[in-house]
Structures are given as structure tokens and as C-alpha cells.
Amino acid sequence: MKKTFLIGIMLGCGSLLFAQQPIKRGKNVVGYELQVGDGRLGVEFVTPSIARVQYKLGDKLESNGTAVCIERVPQKFRVKLSEQTPGLSSDKGPYVLSSDSLELVIDKQTGSIQYFEAKTHKLLLSEDLRHPRTGERIPLEKVTYDEKTARTVRTANGDITEKDVISRDTVGYSERYQLNLHFAKGEALYGLGAHMEDYMNLRGKTMYLCQHNLKAMVPVLNSTAGYGLLFDAGCGMKFVDSPNGANDQSSAYMELEAAKELDYYFMKGQNLDAVIANYRWLTGDVPMLPRYLTGYIQSKERYVSSTDLLKTLTEFRKRHIPIDLIVQDWHYWPEGWGYMKLDEKRYPSAKNLADSVHAMNAKLMVSIWPNPQYCPEAEDFKSKGWMLEHSVYDAFNADARKHYWSYANNEFFSKDFDAWWCDCSEPLDGDWKFMRKDYGWNNHEERWQLNLGILSEACGAERASIYSLYHSMGIYENQRATSDAKRVVNLTRSAYAGQQRFSTINWNGDTYASWESFKRQIPAGLNYMATGCPYWTVDAGCFFTRGDGRWFYKGEFPQGVKDENYREFYTRMLQFATFLPLQRSHGSDTPREPWQFGEPGDQYYDAIRAMIDLRYQLTPYTYSLFAKTTREQYTMTRMLAFDYADDPEVLDIKDEFMYGPSFLVCPITEAKASGRKVYLPKGSRWTNVFTGDTFDGGQWIDAKLPNGVPAIMTFPLFVKSGSIVPFAEKAEYTDQQLDKPLTITVTPGCDASFDLYEDEGDNYNYEKGQYAIIPLKWDEATRTLTIDKRQGKFNGMNQNRQMKLDVVIDGKRAEKTVTYTGKKISVTF
């Protein structure tokens, strides 16, 4: 028996399902729905390479109601649905649902699904064929507190409100779901967000997923086998792969702790970039960051007044140290906690402060919090019924989000502040205080349960992990509705799938300063950026430099900058941060400005200055990567598996990564190091940026630091053969570079290309097509560099650019200078 249907229009994340028949939209068949045991299963194509699977106990499917996915313009393509049952009766054979890209085989008895590449019939992923998924009913609890016992408790994460519990009552039910999977031998898995477990390849690992000061959960799992999984639910989750991991085919599962249904998307892609493109098709594109974020960001806990901020910025300008953004952290308010109001005794005029910062060619970021207490703002939200438990404003309510924005706008944005630091966007931590002595980093499951508990109390178990998504939505959508003159910048501590569409940059929370902590932060960030959320950064030098007995407050440098060991540690972390999407210094306990580490001629001062200068020289490269991320669904700071998935040696390397297509970054993560072991991915040749030595890929080398300069001045940094990198002149702020010459550096070895992107830098005119691209191409056979015809234009565009062309030919540097007017130029070396 064989039935065939032709499918036409496909939509985005939503669906309209009909029991006991093919799933349709209008007249078009999009998938199949069937009863499987005690549950209802729906399987449908969303695009030719994306399939959605829903499963719910009972007989009717329903959405989890998150804001993870967006609606897209309908696509038209063909899908075939058939019952292929050779030798079997039609009620026992599988359903086969296929596009020209992806084939799904669905067992009628168990509802298990296997995913195949359509053309080759290669198996990509299989649910467990006997027990693909399970569900169980769980009670939902409401906690009633005694308001008379409300008290403020000061924690390292700020003030929180605690109350005595009167009762815990069951008020309804949700469901816990488990999806059982089989991964293939040799397959590597990445993603799930930023976590401090020190894992790169997640095969053979257990991950407890919730939001926490030191965890940023993104329920996306991407595979080198050519697919990714997006779990669309708002609850806490747990991922478990069997201990043998990538050494064999293994059984694994993802558990959703409280959801209306199991709802996930299978996203096929030939490589990780293609998988992430499908993820962003579902959840939203990444807006352009402003050009000033390619520069250096100075922050600390904390500047205490307008005078303090401006004095610090003045010192940067006096010393000619580059800086583009300075940050005002917490406790600027006159009363209460988290009040979006400057204390006029210390900050007499918000507008004058912003104007003074701008007069020194810098931008101003301010910290804002979602949990105002004991202040007019808190009472205002309470009076309107827009306050969740534990004094957190109700970001799930659109009116509350708009009202929250009114405070931010009235005090800051309307006064010309530039950027937001949305701190504490978890928005609660259950253990950010003194705990018992044996409590610590390795209590993964206990920390997960404790923090899910407090988040569930405030947000509800079914949305315990998605507060940050809605909080970020409110900032982005309301700023865009207010003005298009400034691009939204939201540095925030928590994350979720879809949040990238709201111009967020995540950092990994309040880490403590130790070499072990530093090592763990590298794979944490790489896994976060492998989810499709591309922008992540760190507190260079870590937040806590000393220890005070709390499990998270264990810095190993109590003397801070007075300790030469910390100065070395900070410098190594800043070198790492130079090749993250944002280069940023922040922390507590000790000052962080460059001159705190010495004076010119001191090795640490000079090394810090060299990294900031390098960041500014890379401005045109970095800004073009911002554009590539927006225009081509790129990931700019990328684990090696993005580009070298066929090289098994790279799959679990935790401390090397690519910065764009050209740079292999290998941070130093040991004290007093004179070098480190480096693996050079096969398929390319690699040139050490600091020594000029060139090596074939596919080997481990002992990368010694060069003689003749202090060891702290350099680290293993390589450029790939077949690279074109545009450099700018050194500058004190990014706008100072706009009319200056560029250097186009070519590393030969094979053909190469790079699109140099330019626009106005800080508004949304690029969305209207106001930008320019200059294609750069290297032909290896003819040794010719072509600067192609400029594509596009924008207001204020520099029509003529002087460019110095820098190419190493046969070990010798060749340089030529040209004036580019927008017309094609070809230069042969």
C-alpha cells in the first residue's frame, strides 16, 4: 500500500493539527499525527531541512507557549508522505515523510523517528526504536509566604527579599517528558549554553540545565553529524549521554522537567554553520552590533560618581590608551535596591554625564536590574500587580515590560545613555550566599534542583528558565519603538534560545580568579556560541580576586593588582578576551584600569596596551565579522569543529578556537608559561603571528614563546594560509579610524576572499540597505589581489580609501599602496 501527497506552503514554528489524519495547513499536507499509546504524536516539516516533533500525554497537542520561535514568510517546496510497507500490513509499516533534503521514518507502533539524509539515505539520528519518549504527570506547587516576615538579605548578587513560608499547595499539574536518543560512534555534540563543568564535546556527559549566575542555559544541541536539536520549552532540563560517549553508539536522553508537551525541532545542515542558519531561521536573526563594540570596554565594581567615571575616562585620554565604552555598575541609586534612578548627590545630571562622556569620544553603559526593592519603582510595580515573587518584575507581561522601559528611558536613554547592562537576568539564585562547607562547584544536581526551585516559585515551573528571553525582548522592542538612532546593546548574564534576536551579548557571570577557572571559561563560551547565540564575553581577570568562604567566592589573588601573579593572570585573560566578540575588563576586589598594572615600560602594562592596540587594529576585520554574523548567519568566535569537523583530533580540544576565518587563537592558561602544546588543524598551513614560523596542519607542536621580548607579551596566535585580513591604524577610539588608511594583509597558500563591510556604525539604516561591501580576493595561481567594485553606499561613506597591500611572497614581504575609489583594482605580486 502506498499513498503519496504533494506538499506546498510551509510556515514557521506554529502548527494546526487534525486528529487521525495527515497534518494540514489549508489544503497542504505538512506531516502526520497519530496516537501512540497514552500520547499524541505530531511530526511535520517546517522547511525542507527542518522538522518539528510534538508529543503530549492524552489525545490533543498544544504549544508550550514560549517566545522562542518566530513566524516566517511561508516557503514553497515539495514533500512526499508515504506508507512504505514491503511484506507488512499497512498498520505495521512505517510512515516515511521526506523532502528533497531530509527523510523521516516513523514507526507506527512506537512512534519512534529516524532521521536520514534524503539523497544518500545516511542515518543522521535515531530516537530509541522501542521507547522513544515518555511522559508523566507532575504536580505544580504554589508557595504562600507570610508578607509580615519580609526581610532584605544582602548577597554577593545583590539584595534579595526573603519571607517565611506559610504553606505549599498543589494548584495544578504539568508533565515531565523524556526524549530517548541514539548517537553514532565518532559524533561530537556541542551547545546547551555556557556552563562551568569544563566540557567541550558533550558526548558521555551529564548536563543539568537551568539559569544561574554561572550558567546560561540555551536548549540547543548541535552535532558534527550534520544536524541540531532545539527544544522549545521554558522549564529546567537535564541532558544525559551514556558514559562511553563518542567511543561507541550510545543511548542518551533529554528530560524536560515541566512542560505542556515535548516539542523539539530537528535541524539538518551540512556543517555547524548550516545548522545554526536553520536555528536562526526558526528563532530570529542577529541584529548588527554598533562599531564601537569592536573597541575596548572598561568596567569595574564600581565607579561611585560622575566625577569618578569622568576622571577615569580622562586618564585614558591623557595616556592615549584606546577606549570606546565605559560602564556604570550598580549602587548608583539614592535609595532601596535596583532603583533606576541616579543619586543626584553623586550624579548631579544624567544628561551632563552622558554629554561629557561623548565629548571625550566614548560611549556610556549603565547597569539595570529586574528586582527593585524598597523604592518608588518597586511600589509602583506592586501597585499595578506586575511584581512576581521575590520582588522580580513580571517580564512575561508586555505591559510590565513597557513600564519597565519607561523607567530606563526616562532616567537614561532619553538622557543619551548608549547601552544596557541587564544584570541578574536569571533573575534569582538560590545559593548565592554562604552554604554548608561541602557545597561547591561539583554539586551539579543539587545546585540545579535548588535554583530551579526558586525560579519556579517566581516564574512558574513551565517557564523557570525563560525570564531573560522576555526581559531582553522588552528592552529591545521598546528601545526600537522609541528610536532607531542607537543600536540596542544589552550585555546580560542569562540567556535562552531566541534571545540573539534581541541584540544581547552574554557574559559568563561572576567567576573567581584562578587558572583552573580560566581554563573552564574557554569551553563554556565556545559551547555557548555553538548554539547559534553568537555574542559572549568574560570579565577579564575574573570577578572575584579573593576568597571569603563562599563556594563561588574563591579567588586566589587576595592582593589583586599588588600581586605580580595576578597581573600575569589578568594579562593572559585579556589576551583571550581580545578574540571574543567583546573585549571587556570588569571585576570586584581590585581596580582594573591598565595603569593599575604598571607604567609604560613595565611588562604587564605594555602587554595590556599591546592587546588593546591589536583589538583596534582589527576593527575592520571584527566589524566585518559582526556583519557576516548578521547577513550570513555566521559565528565569529568559533570552536574548531566549525571549520575542521572532519579532523577527529579537534573535536574535544577545549582551549583553541578560530576568530573569524583566519586566526587560530591558543590562550596561555598556565602561570609562568614559556609556551604550550598546540594542535594545528589539518588541511591548512599555519603561520605564527609573533614569530613568522610556518607549519603544516595535522600535527601537535611545542609552541614556544619568542625570545627577545618578555614572555607575557605574546602567546601562540596563528594565521591560516589563504587569509585576507584588513587592519586599521592604531587609534584611541574607533571613529578616529574612519578616514585613515587600511592595510590589507594577505597570507598566501591558496585562493582567498574576504568581504570588507562598512556602514554608519550606530543606527538601523543598514536594515534599509544603507551599507557598503568591498570584496577582496586573492588568486594564488597568478599572485593577484583584487579589490573589487564597491557594492552599496551609505551616508557619510568615504569615497576614497588609501590601502597598503601587504603580502609575503616566498618568505619576503611585498608591499604596494593604492588609492581605492570604489572601482575594481587588481594588483599582481
Side-chain angles (χ1 to χ4, degrees):
M1 179 179 183
K2 185 174 182 179
K3 300 177 182 178
T4 301
F5 303 86
L6 293 183
I7 299 178
I9 297 176
M10 302 290 152
L11 296 177
C13 293
S15 63
L16 297 173
L17 306 176
F18 300 88
Q20 301 298 340
Q21 62 182 22
I23 300 170
K24 293 183 178 180
R25 265 187 204 92
K27 297 180 180 180
N28 300 306
V29 179
V30 297
Y32 213 86
E33 185 181 342
L34 63 157
Q35 198 73 21
V36 180
D38 295 331
R40 193 74 177 165
L41 175 67
V43 185
E44 61 178 301
F45 271 89
V46 177
T47 74
S49 57
I50 302 174
R52 183 186 187 187
V53 177
Q54 296 170 275
Y55 173 76
K56 181 174 176 57
L57 295 176
D59 58 5
K60 185 178 181 181
L61 297 173
E62 60 177 319
S63 169
N64 284 317
T66 73
V68 167
C69 291
I70 64 172
E71 291 295 333
R72 289 285 193 179
V73 175
Q75 292 190 8
K76 293 183 179 181
F77 60 94
R78 293 166 55 123
V79 171
K80 182 172 68 174
L81 174 63
S82 63
E83 298 178 64
Q84 297 180 350
T85 57
L88 295 175
S89 62
S90 62
D91 62 335
K92 293 184 178 180
Y95 293 109
V96 180
L97 183 63
S98 58
S99 70
D100 60 1
S101 176
L102 181 62
E103 182 177 85
L104 282 60
V105 177
I106 309 164
D107 186 276
K108 289 182 182 177
Q109 304 302 309
T110 68
S112 67
I113 304 172
Q114 293 175 291
Y115 298 90
F116 294 86
E117 210 287 329
K119 293 185 174 67
T120 65
H121 299 287
K122 175 186 175 183
L123 178 64
L124 301 173
L125 176 69
S126 176
E127 296 181 343
D128 186 279
L129 296 181
R130 293 187 177 183
H131 305 287
R133 58 195 78 82
T134 61
E136 61 175 319
R137 196 183 192 202
I138 61 170
L140 292 177
E141 188 178 70
K142 177 177 176 57
V143 180
T144 302
Y145 290 91
D146 185 351
E147 296 295 332
K148 296 179 181 178
T149 65
R151 55 198 177 271
T152 299
V153 177
R154 180 152 295 179
T155 74
N157 196 37
D159 292 356
I160 63 172
T161 299
E162 288 190 354
K163 307 169 191 173
D164 293 341
V165 175
I166 295 177
S167 64
R168 296 178 181 270
D169 304 300
T170 298
V171 294
Y173 294 89
S174 185
E175 287 147 12
R176 177 182 292 116
Y177 289 98
Q178 182 172 303
L179 175 67
N180 300 313
L181 300 164
H182 287 291
F183 299 121
K185 182 178 180 180
E187 177 181 356
L189 297 172
Y190 306 105
L192 297 183
H195 306 273
M196 292 292 284
E197 283 83 344
D198 197 28
Y199 300 152
M200 187 74 260
N201 183 357
L202 300 180
R203 294 301 304 278
K205 306 299 192 300
T206 296
M207 298 291 290
Y208 294 95
L209 307 177
C210 69
Q211 306 296 0
H212 185 265
N213 193 321
L214 295 164
K215 299 174 76 71
M217 171 189 174
V218 182
V220 174
L221 195 64
N222 290 331
S223 170
T224 54
Y227 69 88
L229 301 172
L230 163 64
F231 294 89
D232 187 359
C235 57
M237 302 181 193
K238 180 170 66 174
F239 170 75
V240 179
D241 190 19
S242 63
N244 59 338
N247 296 322
D248 199 354
Q249 185 181 35
S250 65
S251 298
Y253 66 86
M254 178 68 88
E255 183 176 281
L256 281 59
E257 299 306 304
K260 292 181 174 62
E261 66 177 22
L262 171 64
D263 188 354
Y264 78 93
Y265 293 85
F266 181 93
M267 306 171 293
K268 176 181 174 291
Q270 295 302 314
N271 51 40
L272 289 174
D273 283 312
V275 172
I276 284 174
N278 279 329
Y279 160 79
R280 293 187 190 151
W281 191 92
L282 286 168
T283 64
D285 300 328
V286 181
M288 273 291 291
L289 294 180
R291 185 172 51 239
Y292 67 79
L293 287 185
T294 65
Y296 175 68
I297 303 169
Q298 182 65 59
S299 179
K300 74 172 184 180
E301 197 279 302
R302 62 190 166 87
Y303 298 111
V304 299
S305 65
S306 293
T307 300
D308 194 14
L309 273 166
L310 297 174
K311 180 180 177 182
T312 302
L313 186 54
T314 298
E315 188 67 17
F316 271 92
R317 294 296 179 234
K318 178 181 176 182
R319 290 173 174 265
H320 305 289
I321 301 173
I323 183 173
D324 262 78
L325 179 64
I326 195 164
V327 184
Q328 175 61 57
D329 200 354
W330 63 359
H331 285 294
Y332 52 75
W333 39 79
E335 59 181 304
W337 165 262
Y339 186 16
M340 279 188 278
K341 182 73 175 176
L342 291 174
D343 181 354
E344 292 182 1
K345 294 179 181 178
R346 295 176 291 131
Y347 306 86
S349 169
K351 185 66 167 67
N352 287 347
L353 174 59
D355 289 346
S356 297
V357 169
H358 295 158
M360 286 188 275
N361 298 296
K363 306 292 184 180
L364 180 59
M365 173 183 278
V366 64
S367 166
I368 58 175
W369 297 68
N371 54 341
Q373 299 171 67
Y374 306 108
C375 63
E377 182 183 344
E379 296 307 313
D380 185 18
F381 275 88
K382 287 179 184 177
S383 70
K384 292 178 170 60
W386 292 339
M387 192 69 84
L388 303 175
E389 192 51 71
H390 302 294
S391 298
V392 176
Y393 94 94
D394 186 1
F396 302 106
N397 182 306
D399 291 332
R401 293 195 299 270
K402 186 174 182 179
H403 196 57
Y404 184 87
W405 167 255
S406 73
Y407 277 89
N409 182 41
N410 290 341
E411 184 67 7
F412 301 119
F413 192 68
S414 68
K415 309 295 174 52
D416 219 13
F417 281 52
D418 302 287
W420 308 108
W421 180 4
C422 289
D423 210 335
C424 198
S425 53
E426 294 80 23
L428 296 162
D429 287 291
D431 58 356
W432 211 244
K433 55 190 176 181
F434 285 101
M435 305 292 287
R436 65 176 194 275
K437 289 185 178 180
D438 65 342
Y439 188 89
W441 287 100
N442 294 323
N443 296 82
H444 300 307
E445 184 172 13
E446 184 179 1
R447 285 196 292 119
W448 175 67
Q449 291 173 340
L450 182 60
N451 285 288
L452 270 184
I454 192 170
L455 289 168
S456 296
E457 288 178 14
C459 303
E462 291 181 354
R463 57 186 193 182
S465 295
I466 56 174
Y467 185 92
S468 183
L469 176 64
Y470 288 85
H471 185 36
S472 301
M473 179 193 301
I475 296 296
Y476 181 84
E477 292 182 348
N478 284 293
Q479 181 176 323
R480 290 298 307 266
T482 302
S483 172
D484 272 354
K486 294 178 188 284
R487 293 178 192 168
V488 178
V489 173
N490 178 355
L491 177 66
T492 191
R493 198 167 67 190
S494 193
Y496 210 69
Q499 193 167 299
Q500 77 284 342
R501 71 180 183 263
F502 300 130
S503 272
T504 56
I505 309 105
N506 280 81
W507 96 100
N508 57 336
D510 298 342
T511 53
Y512 68 83
S514 76
W515 291 100
E516 180 60 30
S517 171
F518 179 15
K519 292 175 187 177
R520 290 180 177 222
Q521 291 175 54
I522 301 173
L526 294 176
N527 264 309
Y528 176 84
M529 290 178 280
T531 64
C533 297
Y535 294 135
W536 182 89
T537 187
V538 297
D539 294 345
C542 294
F543 188 75
F544 300 115
T545 63
R546 57 182 176 85
D548 76 347
R550 283 173 283 187
W551 67 273
F552 54 86
Y553 204 137
K554 292 189 175 181
E556 297 178 359
F557 306 97
Q559 300 302 311
V561 294
K562 296 179 181 179
D563 182 350
E564 183 175 357
N565 295 314
Y566 180 70
R567 295 199 293 273
E568 177 192 12
F569 174 82
Y570 175 89
T571 304
R572 291 302 188 197
M573 276 208 76
L574 188 69
Q575 290 169 347
F576 164 57
T578 301
F579 297 92
L580 296 176
L582 269 64
Q583 185 194 48
R584 169 178 167 270
S585 174
H586 179 68
S588 187
D589 303 333
T590 193
R592 307 296 174 109
E593 297 83 10
W595 53 89
Q596 307 289 352
F597 296 83
E599 293 291 336
D602 181 278
Q603 62 175 339
Y604 299 109
Y605 180 97
D606 289 350
I608 291 168
R609 177 64 192 265
M611 283 299 102
I612 297 175
D613 281 341
L614 177 58
R615 179 78 181 187
Y616 278 78
Q617 289 175 285
L618 286 169
T619 294
Y621 180 77
T622 300
Y623 196 54
S624 295
L625 296 182
F626 285 178
K628 190 175 177 69
T629 300
T630 296
R631 299 176 66 250
E632 301 177 29
Q633 311 305 334
Y634 192 63
T635 301
M636 59 186 290
T637 299
R638 41 205 287 124
M639 62 178 62
L640 298 182
F642 272 94
D643 301 295
Y644 300 98
D646 293 334
D647 185 348
E649 193 71 25
V650 311
L651 299 183
D652 203 29
I653 291 179
K654 303 175 183 178
D655 58 355
E656 301 180 24
F657 57 92
M658 295 296 295
Y659 186 62
S662 298
F663 291 103
L664 174 64
V665 185
C666 311
I668 296 286
T669 59
E670 301 281 349
K672 311 303 179 186
S674 59
R676 55 159 288 179
K677 295 289 186 182
V678 167
Y679 182 73
L680 302 173
K682 65 182 179 182
S684 299
R685 284 180 60 79
W686 301 92
T687 300
N688 188 311
V689 170
F690 293 108
T691 68
D693 297 330
T694 299
F695 305 88
D696 289 327
Q699 62 172 324
W700 286 91
I701 65 169
D702 189 4
K704 292 290 186 181
L705 301 182
N707 295 322
V709 296
I712 196 66
M713 294 294 296
T714 68
F715 63 98
L717 176 66
F718 297 84
V719 65
K720 184 180 70 175
S721 59
S723 288
I724 302 175
V725 179
F727 287 94
E729 291 186 352
K730 295 179 183 179
E732 294 183 36
Y733 51 94
T734 53
D735 279 357
Q736 195 177 50
Q737 300 170 316
L738 293 178
D739 297 326
K740 300 296 179 64
L742 296 176
T743 297
I744 311 299
T745 299
V746 178
T747 304
C750 58
D751 292 347
S753 64
F754 187 85
D755 285 343
L756 177 62
Y757 175 93
E758 298 177 319
D759 65 15
E760 293 173 66
D762 191 14
N763 58 41
Y764 286 95
N765 286 339
Y766 76 88
E767 294 181 342
K768 305 171 186 175
Q770 296 183 30
Y771 60 85
I773 293 173
I774 302 174
L776 308 171
K777 300 175 183 178
W778 171 256
D779 186 297
E780 180 70 13
T782 63
R783 295 182 174 181
T784 299
L785 177 64
T786 297
I787 309 169
D788 221 331
K789 180 181 178 181
R790 182 188 285 124
Q791 302 169 5
K793 62 181 180 180
F794 58 92
N795 293 330
M797 184 177 72
N798 189 347
Q799 299 289 339
N800 303 319
R801 298 296 297 269
Q802 188 178 42
M803 297 185 182
K804 183 173 78 173
L805 313 182
D806 183 2
V807 183
V808 176
I809 301 291
D810 299 329
K812 296 181 180 180
R813 174 162 273 105
E815 297 179 352
K816 297 184 180 182
T817 299
V818 300
T819 298
Y820 178 71
T821 63
K823 297 180 180 180
K824 181 177 179 179
I825 297 176
S826 293
V827 180
T828 300
F829 290 83

